[in-house]
Structure formats: structure tokens, C-alpha cells
Amino acid sequence: MPRKNMKKILVTGATGQIGSELTIELRNRYGKDNVIAAGHKRKPGGKLLDSGPFEHIDVTEKENIAKIVKKYDIDTIYHLAAVLSAVGEENPQLAWRVNMDGLYNILEVAREHGLAKVFWPSSIAVFGLKAPRVNTPQDAVLIPRTVYGVTKVAGELLCNYYYSRFGLDVRSVRYPGVISSETPPGGGTTDYAVEMFYEAIKKKHYVCFVKEDTVLPMMYMPDCMKAAIDLMEADALKINHHTSYNVTAMSFSAGELTAEIKKYIPDFKCEYKPDFRQRIADSWPMSIDDSVARKEWGWRPSYDLASMTKDMIEKLSKRFAESKL
Ligand code: AKB
């Protein structure tokens, strides 16, 4: 049921992995006409177009964003548009332009138009080899190896600056790898964890681009959306970090994920052929300490490796079976 005191929300990157599901969730909560989806290059899927307004926005063009903010009287932005780690290493200039200019433009438009709140996702990519790789704490050294990580560190500092200098209520979490069944991710290092499910169901065979013993922190999409919405709904007095919060749900190796999938698809075979993304994975935390988020605004994930795998297999198997009919 739409609430009283309605928000008007803009979601950038709405055609991406997180955006495509978060937009629908926000529309269910706040009313379909109160959540404007915005995409750039990827074609929007039917669900996104049928369930509410859609606009084309290039986040590197500030006037483009300002026009849509004025048109719909937006008061809240979920700014998800970004270039991820692997594509960022192939094209660092593009990563800088989209991630930094994009965030700067969003914050400026938010400041100029007096918006109430901005959500912006940071990532475990902010950490590098100088941070502890096990149970990485909230306040660890941030010297990332990738340009994506550099844009996330700079972005966190910029968000914090807009909060302290202009009073803009910017909130952020450092997402681990996100696993989901609706829209595949594109261009990230943790993408293997999603690809493995698709290929296991379709071909019973997957060539994984990181080593079998590579361990990274991960999160299932329902928890990913919960983290964003819970943080945005939290009482402002509880939010003491305006850089970004560590959040996590599970940590597993590529081999452990293979073994879990094999419980449902026993003849699934995974080969391991590491490529340039191994070097990125090796510079990231293996597990995350998210106790600060738990304490300050009550962060609690619901899914672990077993329950996430069961749900992913059920959802994808159903979808593939239906599309074959
Ligand atoms: C990536 O792999 O680049 C992202 C991330 C961890 O931020 N999924």
C-alpha cells in the first residue's frame, strides 16, 4: 500500500543487476508512479517498463539529471549507475567518468534542488592489500588496487563531504558480491558466482575465472535490497557513518559454491581457469565485519549459502523451463 507523505524516488542504473529488482521493490512499497526508473545503455525489461515511469539518463550529464528531478519533483535518489571492477580495469577512463562524474553530478543536483536523501552503493573494492583480509573492519586502511575501488573510496569521501559541508543526507553500504536470478550482473569480479548458477542449469558445465579456493564475501538479492531500504528508512540519529557501512551475509570459496550447486545438479562440472580477475579477487577481503551496521541501524541478513543456493536453483530452473515451452 502506498504510504501517506509520499516520497518521489529516482533510481539511476535501473536496468542493471540491482536496479532492476530494487526499482520493483520500491514501487511495491511507495507506489508505482512514485518511483522513476532511469537507464542509459541497457534496454529496459518489460517488468520495468510496465510497472511505472522510465526515463533515459546519462549520469555524466548533469542537466539531464536535473531535468528529470524537476519533471517528477524528486526528493530521493538511489544512484546505482556505475562501471564495475573488471570493465573498469579494461577501461579506467570510462570508470572514472561514469563513477566519479556521475556521483558528483547526482550530489550537486541533490544539493541544488534540496533533495531529502541519496543512496549510493560503495563496495568491498574499497579495500586493498593493506587491510586485513579476514573479518575486515569498518575502519580499515583503504588503498584499493583497481580504479573501480579508487572511485569507490573517492566517492565515499565525497558523500561524507556533502553531508558535513552541505547537510545532504547521503547514505551508503559497501556491497560484497551480489547474487541474483532476475538480471545478470555485468563487468564485475564477483560475477562468477551468478554465472555458475546459469551455466550449471543450462549446460551442467562452467569454466570459472577464479581459482577454486578463492573466497569472497557475498549477499543474495533480497538482502541486498533490504540493506539499501533499511538504511534509507533508518532514523537519521542512528546514522553515524556517512562514508559507507560494511555489510555482508556469507563468505564461501568458488569450490564451496560448486559443491552446494552439485547437491541439486549432481553431474554439474566446474573447471577453474583464472584470468585477470583473479588478481582483483586476491586484493579483496575474504570476509567482512559488519558489526557497526548491525549495531547502528539493525542490519541483519536472512540468507546463507544453503538457503540462497536453494532459492536460486528453484527460480532459475522455473524460468528456464517456462522459456523452453
Ligand atoms: C564487482 O565485482 O565489481 C562488484 C563489487 C564487489 O563491487 N560486484
Side-chain angles (χ1 to χ4, degrees):
M1 267 293 280
R3 298 176 179 188
K4 283 187 200 156
N5 191 9
M6 201 55 74
K7 296 184 209 305
K8 275 277 188 181
I9 299 173
L10 173 65
V11 183
T12 71
T15 55
Q17 184 197 15
I18 300 177
S20 58
E21 294 198 48
L22 184 60
T23 303
I24 306 293
E25 180 63 29
L26 292 169
R27 283 179 176 162
N28 291 339
R29 281 173 186 245
Y30 304 118
K32 62 184 179 57
D33 292 327
N34 294 315
V35 182
I36 291 56
H40 182 35
K41 292 231 161 100
R42 264 198 205 179
K43 225 174 139 249
K47 260 194 211 165
L48 211 55
L49 286 179
D50 298 344
S51 62
F54 183 87
E55 296 280 351
H56 281 275
I57 291 186
D58 177 352
V59 294
T60 65
E61 288 173 20
K62 190 175 146 217
E63 285 320 308
N64 224 233
I65 306 166
K67 201 175 87 194
I68 302 301
V69 162
K70 277 189 264 177
K71 177 172 169 187
Y72 291 97
D73 200 13
I74 297 295
D75 63 25
T76 301
I77 301 181
Y78 285 72
H79 173 44
L80 308 178
V83 168
L84 298 186
S85 57
V87 167
E89 286 315 285
E90 284 163 346
N91 194 343
Q93 296 76 12
L94 176 73
W96 185 265
R97 206 167 53 246
V98 173
N99 296 3
M100 288 319 304
D101 294 355
L103 176 61
Y104 174 74
N105 288 340
I106 292 285
L107 294 174
E108 270 298 280
V109 169
R111 180 185 70 79
E112 285 169 3
H113 293 81
L115 264 60
K117 276 185 206 167
V118 174
F119 174 82
W120 172 75
S122 184
S123 159
I124 55 162
V126 292
F127 300 110
L129 293 172
K130 289 238 160 88
R133 291 193 66 209
V134 175
N135 269 334
T136 310
Q138 174 70 38
D139 295 314
V141 175
L142 305 181
I143 307 182
R145 184 181 253 179
T146 60
V147 70
Y148 172 67
V150 172
T151 65
K152 290 296 182 189
V153 174
E156 286 191 8
L157 296 176
L158 196 61
C159 289
N160 192 50
Y161 178 76
Y162 270 72
Y163 171 72
S164 54
R165 174 76 172 79
F166 303 117
L168 182 63
D169 190 352
V170 193
R171 303 183 182 194
S172 173
V173 294
R174 293 173 178 149
Y175 279 129
V178 174
I179 298 171
S180 66
S181 57
E182 190 65 33
T183 307
T189 302
T190 56
D191 293 12
Y192 68 86
V194 182
E195 288 173 8
M196 198 183 287
F197 282 100
Y198 277 75
E199 298 303 293
I201 295 169
K202 280 199 286 197
K203 300 186 189 141
K204 297 185 186 344
H205 181 246
Y206 178 56
V207 181
C208 182
F209 57 76
V210 296
K211 289 189 277 182
E212 188 172 2
D213 62 358
T214 303
V215 177
L216 286 172
M218 300 277 175
M219 183 179 282
Y220 194 32
M221 183 55 86
D223 284 330
C224 168
M225 296 193 288
K226 184 174 184 291
I229 295 171
D230 283 2
L231 177 61
M232 288 294 269
E233 291 288 337
D235 184 338
L237 293 173
K238 293 186 175 166
I239 308 299
N240 294 317
H241 289 73
H242 286 270
T243 47
S244 193
Y245 283 99
N246 278 7
V247 287
T248 191
M250 57 188 109
S251 277
F252 51 78
S253 67
E256 283 166 336
L257 179 60
T258 303
E260 196 63 33
I261 293 175
K262 270 163 113 38
K263 289 183 185 167
Y264 300 86
I265 308 169
D267 44 353
F268 169 51
K269 290 219 163 30
C270 186
E271 285 176 76
Y272 300 92
K273 291 199 177 150
D275 66 14
F276 73 100
R277 289 167 280 193
Q278 183 69 51
R279 191 166 180 272
I280 302 177
D282 288 345
S283 74
W284 286 354
M286 294 193 279
S287 57
I288 293 285
D289 173 357
D290 59 4
S291 53
V292 174
R294 286 171 187 260
K295 189 163 160 254
E296 288 190 10
W297 49 276
W299 161 243
R300 292 273 178 290
S302 302
Y303 285 85
D304 60 11
L305 174 60
S307 51
M308 175 276 290
T309 303
K310 182 172 183 289
D311 203 56
M312 277 292 282
I313 300 266
E314 276 170 16
K315 289 218 164 75
L316 285 177
S317 306
K318 187 163 173 267
R319 180 125 56 80
F320 291 150
E322 281 166 4
S323 65
K324 270 184 208 142
L325 287 176

